[in-house]
Amino acid sequence: MEKYWNKSMECATLSEMKSLQSFRLSQTVRHVYENVPVYRERMDAAGVKPEDINSVNDLYKLPFTCKQDLRDTYPYGLFAVPMDRVVRVHASSGTTGKQIVVGYTQKDLDTWSECCARALTAAGADKSDFMHVSYGYGLFTGGLGIHGGAEKVGMTVIPVSTGNTKRQINILRDLGSTYICCTPSYALFIAETMQEMGLTKDDIKLKGGLFGAEPWTEEMRTEIQDKLGCKAMDIYGLTEIIGPGVAFECSEQTGMHINEDNFIPEIIDPDTGEVLPEGSQGELVFTCITKEAFPLLRYRTRDIGILSREKCSCGRTLIKMKKPAGRSDDMLIIRGVNVFPSQVESVLLQLGNTAPYYQLIVDRENNTDTFEIQVEITPEMFSDTIKSLEQEEHAIKLAVESTLGIGAKITLVEPKTIPRVEGKAVHVIDRRKLH
Ligand code: DLL
């Protein structure tokens, strides 16, 4: 039986949801117009007044916000409440550029915990469960975000944070954790380290895991489920909007329900800004409608997604988003062809012979892009003949070319060559940017 944390919100009718969103949106717009000079100036320039925003159908009238706006107003320029009401800040440096800072009132922290509590409940967790938190604690939102949700559910929280993987595994085993959360890359590293320690999934008691903070494929899900013996659920979020828990997976595992009573999603054409109809692929945009300290209007995430209101077997009516393939900033254009690292990941894991560690190295020589994929071999393959390794290389080359429509040099590298991470994996080294 499907369990819900907040059934009235998670299973509301469409008209109930729209009217709640409309009410909250108009309140939020008034709040930012009155308290954030940047928003007031932008709305004035666009000729929009708070009284023009009465329903979700008016959303398109509002100007977009983007990461650069957060950088330009660093650190507190977009905060909508006095600092004495802000009880926490988090920050993100992202892969490029200046740090951004976000803030929370006590009510915002409660909203955030509620979002994560819904995710945990959808993953089957309840107060009898133990949650091993391997996301980083600190300015990153992963650790404290899920921690708050797990406490709200009443789980026994084990706040391990990142690092010292062998010690993590001992804690996981000794304290009998039934749930874990970390990046999918780190989950694989934990599995690999367990193997080195002579342990298997039968030595631990995991039932489920919430993995997110980076794109990951269905093949990677299978790999994690097999190796850790737990159901691997996806969880999505970003610092600017609240952190983890913007969207979460249910038992159907076919995309993530967005907590749309708190964050209204839209899909836009990234080039023109035009709002696209449901089912179209485009850039995800979120508007926060319950936050007090840091409510962003129409924030452009750069994440590429698809929204769907198709009926879900779990009974939730919250709109769903497809697993994001990656950020538009992560998309590589190599010799004119669009390439997402996740496509390469799918190919490698489907072939299934090598280790699940890879890196795409892109460079430019004589005005032409070069494209190399380094793939790690498993310790078992290490003793294979040169001939069989060459055959493997060739098989990967063919499969990559037919999926991406572009040739790549495949280099098999020794076990443990590709750096392991505790947080988000680095799948791309684009040296073209250095020239
Ligand atoms: O990664 C928040 C988070 C923590 C989410 C723990 C889930 C679990 P940022 O560091 O600001 O926040 O990075 C946000 O990470 O815009 C996406 O590009 C990517 N991302 C997050 N979750 C997923 C996911 C956290 N499930 C950026 N699938 C986002 C794909 C994801 N990409």
Side-chain angles (χ1 to χ4, degrees):
M1 251 261 291
E2 190 78 28
K3 289 187 292 185
Y4 310 105
W5 178 255
N6 183 341
K7 192 165 183 214
S8 66
M9 286 297 154
E10 294 174 62
C11 305
T13 64
L14 187 56
S15 73
E16 282 167 353
M17 185 54 72
K18 292 275 172 203
S19 66
L20 181 67
Q21 287 177 331
S22 296
F23 174 70
R24 290 179 168 177
L25 174 66
S26 64
Q27 269 193 332
T28 300
V29 169
R30 197 168 292 278
H31 173 53
V32 296
Y33 188 83
E34 283 165 7
N35 295 298
V36 185
V38 174
Y39 274 116
R40 188 161 53 243
E41 285 156 24
R42 293 250 171 113
M43 285 174 59
D44 285 347
V48 196
K49 293 271 171 253
E51 47 276 23
D52 299 328
I53 310 296
N54 298 306
S55 106
V56 279
N57 300 330
D58 298 322
L59 194 56
Y60 76 95
K61 298 177 185 165
L62 293 167
F64 290 115
T65 319
C66 64
K67 191 143 198 166
Q68 192 56 41
D69 296 321
L70 275 71
R71 294 191 176 127
D72 293 344
T73 53
Y74 175 86
Y76 302 131
L78 285 177
F79 281 36
V81 295
M83 289 310 285
D84 63 1
R85 292 200 50 215
V86 174
V87 298
R88 167 106 62 85
V89 296
H90 279 282
S92 136
S93 54
T95 41
T96 50
K98 203 163 117 184
Q99 173 119 318
I100 53 137
V101 173
V102 301
Y104 305 76
T105 62
Q106 187 55 55
K107 178 166 170 275
D108 294 334
L109 290 183
D110 291 344
T111 305
W112 190 13
S113 297
E114 153 97 23
C115 291
C116 288
R118 290 182 194 176
L120 290 160
T121 309
D126 63 30
K127 61 184 167 56
S128 66
D129 284 302
F130 290 67
M131 168 54 91
H132 180 109
V133 182
S134 294
Y135 278 119
Y137 281 67
L139 289 173
F140 177 57
T141 52
L144 283 164
I146 302 205
H147 183 114
E151 273 188 357
K152 199 172 192 92
V153 169
M155 298 173 83
T156 307
V157 186
I158 307 168
V160 195
S161 195
T162 52
N164 200 340
T165 307
K166 288 202 171 116
R167 178 171 162 263
Q168 296 247 358
I169 293 167
N170 288 333
I171 293 173
L172 197 60
R173 185 193 52 195
D174 296 349
L175 304 195
S177 287
T178 48
Y179 279 81
I180 186 169
C181 60
C182 59
T183 58
S185 317
Y186 194 52
L188 278 185
F189 184 43
I190 291 180
E192 183 185 48
T193 311
M194 271 175 52
Q195 206 177 1
E196 282 170 13
M197 292 166 73
L199 299 173
T200 70
K201 60 186 177 189
D202 299 329
D203 295 300
I204 54 174
K205 294 206 181 83
L206 286 183
K207 294 193 290 195
L210 279 83
F211 306 109
E214 63 182 4
W216 53 307
T217 55
E218 283 305 323
E219 290 78 13
M220 185 122 161
R221 190 204 301 270
T222 310
E223 186 101 11
I224 295 174
Q225 294 192 150
D226 287 352
K227 290 189 169 158
L228 290 182
C230 68
K231 194 159 180 181
M233 312 291 277
D234 203 352
I235 181 161
Y236 169 87
L238 57 164
T239 315
E240 298 91 309
I241 298 304
I242 205 155
V246 172
F248 61 95
E249 219 167 32
C250 62
S251 52
E252 208 182 83
Q253 292 184 304
T254 55
M256 290 176 274
H257 290 282
I258 297 173
N259 278 311
E260 60 174 320
D261 50 322
N262 297 294
F263 319 106
I264 305 179
E266 295 171 279
I267 291 284
I268 62 161
D269 178 326
D271 297 322
T272 63
E274 182 200 351
V275 179
L276 300 177
E278 193 198 304
S280 320
Q281 174 162 301
E283 181 179 343
L284 266 167
V285 170
F286 289 104
T287 298
C288 306
I289 50 170
T290 45
K291 275 172 78 190
E292 295 180 326
F294 199 77
L296 291 181
L297 300 184
R298 302 195 81 199
Y299 182 70
R300 294 186 59 160
T301 62
R302 316 301 296 175
D303 289 327
I304 303 294
I306 299 178
L307 296 176
S308 157
R309 277 214 186 269
E310 265 171 45
K311 199 168 158 42
C312 186
S313 63
C314 76
R316 286 180 187 78
T317 49
L318 294 171
I319 194 165
K320 274 165 99 168
M321 61 183 261
K322 271 232 173 89
K323 229 176 186 341
R327 298 173 83 97
S328 51
D329 333 9
D330 290 344
M331 190 185 77
L332 291 160
I333 303 181
I334 307 173
R335 285 176 239 134
V337 177
N338 298 349
V339 174
F340 277 109
S342 56
Q343 292 174 296
V344 175
E345 181 175 302
S346 281
V347 168
L348 294 177
L349 294 183
Q350 265 168 27
L351 288 173
N353 297 325
T354 51
Y357 300 100
Y358 64 95
Q359 239 164 13
L360 280 55
I361 298 161
V362 191
D363 207 341
R364 183 164 286 151
E365 269 171 30
N366 305 324
N367 291 322
T368 308
D369 294 334
T370 59
F371 180 26
E372 178 187 356
I373 305 175
Q374 294 192 348
V375 187
E376 214 178 273
I377 59 171
T378 58
E380 298 80 62
M381 288 170 80
F382 205 46
S383 51
D384 283 1
T385 60
I386 303 236
K387 185 150 186 278
S388 67
L389 290 176
E390 275 172 2
Q391 275 168 353
E392 184 60 37
E393 232 170 55
H394 189 64
I396 297 175
K397 191 170 169 61
L398 287 182
V400 164
E401 284 183 12
S402 81
T403 306
L404 303 183
I406 176 178
K409 175 176 181 235
I410 309 297
T411 311
L412 295 183
V413 296
E414 285 180 24
K416 294 279 170 76
T417 315
I418 297 189
R420 304 297 190 255
V421 292
E422 292 164 1
K424 304 183 190 230
V426 180
H427 289 306
V428 176
I429 299 176
D430 193 344
R431 299 205 176 108
R432 293 175 300 186
K433 291 177 185 153
L434 302 175
H435 296 317

